[in-house]
Amino acid sequence: KMPVISDKDGPFIGIEIEIEGIETTSNLPKGWTAIVDGSLREDGREFVSAALAPRQILDSLAVMYAYLRKLSGRHPEFSWRTSGHIHMDAQTFLHGQFCSFLLLYCVFEEAFFKFCGEYRAKSIFCVPVTQSWLVGSISAFLKGEISITHLANNWEKYSALNLTRLG
């Protein structure tokens, strides 16, 4: 039986949106912070959400979108240097749930990249897991040959799925 995510329970989600061309970050929407990111150009900022329950995600993104549309000056720009990140709190996952998550991610990774566009799949900052040596590590983990700590501690930071924080 598939687990059901209720309207009020986690897993909590954090969102990061990297944008270039932002001159000001005054009056940010509630629950969002702006961080200067040196890897971005033209006054680039990384907008970071508070931890969100699943039912809060769409509203939070809609509020941020409205904020960005109202900015005066230059328009926000999205380039090859920018990206969006989704962080999911996996602390409460049971072993079987984590294994299912890894397998489902691998099954759908190609579709995620097709949605984003070919340029994303060729980025050195977002290497597809299924096109890297990490597939062998996932296989070893699923067969019980290595621990989750070993998996996370030997994970690549710039892979499309980042498990380094689990180590």
Side-chain angles (χ1 to χ4, degrees):
K1 184 175 177 181
M2 292 296 292
V4 176
I5 299 173
S6 76
D7 284 345
K8 59 187 173 195
D9 297 328
F12 288 97
I13 302 292
I15 301 169
E16 297 176 5
I17 306 169
E18 296 173 344
I19 306 173
E20 296 180 326
I22 303 290
E23 292 179 341
T24 181
T25 55
S26 60
N27 302 316
L28 280 170
K30 183 179 177 183
W32 287 88
T33 58
I35 300 168
V36 174
D37 185 328
S39 69
L40 302 174
R41 305 289 184 264
E42 306 293 328
D43 300 312
R45 302 283 192 280
E46 183 173 21
F47 292 90
V48 180
S49 76
L52 302 166
R55 64 180 161 74
Q56 298 173 302
I57 295 169
L58 291 179
D59 287 342
S60 186
L61 287 171
V63 168
M64 177 51 76
Y65 179 74
Y67 168 80
L68 293 170
R69 289 194 54 165
K70 291 180 184 177
L71 287 177
S72 60
R74 292 179 296 181
H75 292 288
E77 298 172 28
F78 297 90
S79 75
W80 65 270
R81 288 178 296 270
T82 64
S83 65
H85 308 138
I86 305 296
H87 298 266
M88 182 169 61
D89 180 5
Q91 294 178 78
T92 60
F93 278 19
L94 300 174
H95 180 78
Q97 291 172 313
F98 183 69
C99 291
S100 295
F101 173 80
L102 283 175
L103 288 170
L104 285 169
Y105 176 82
C106 289
V107 167
F108 288 103
E109 183 178 64
E110 184 178 354
F112 296 151
F113 276 97
K114 283 186 177 181
F115 177 80
C116 293
E118 187 175 329
Y119 77 95
R120 194 67 185 156
K122 299 199 183 305
S123 170
I124 62 170
F125 302 111
C126 190
V127 177
V129 171
T130 54
Q131 295 177 18
S132 75
W133 62 268
L134 293 171
V135 171
S137 295
I138 291 172
S139 176
F141 170 74
L142 293 173
K143 291 189 276 185
E145 296 170 358
I146 62 173
S147 68
I148 190 168
T149 302
H150 180 84
L151 180 70
N153 287 340
N154 293 283
W155 201 260
E156 292 292 326
K157 176 182 178 183
Y158 290 115
S159 63
L161 176 67
N162 189 328
L163 302 180
T164 58
R165 301 290 291 193
L166 297 175

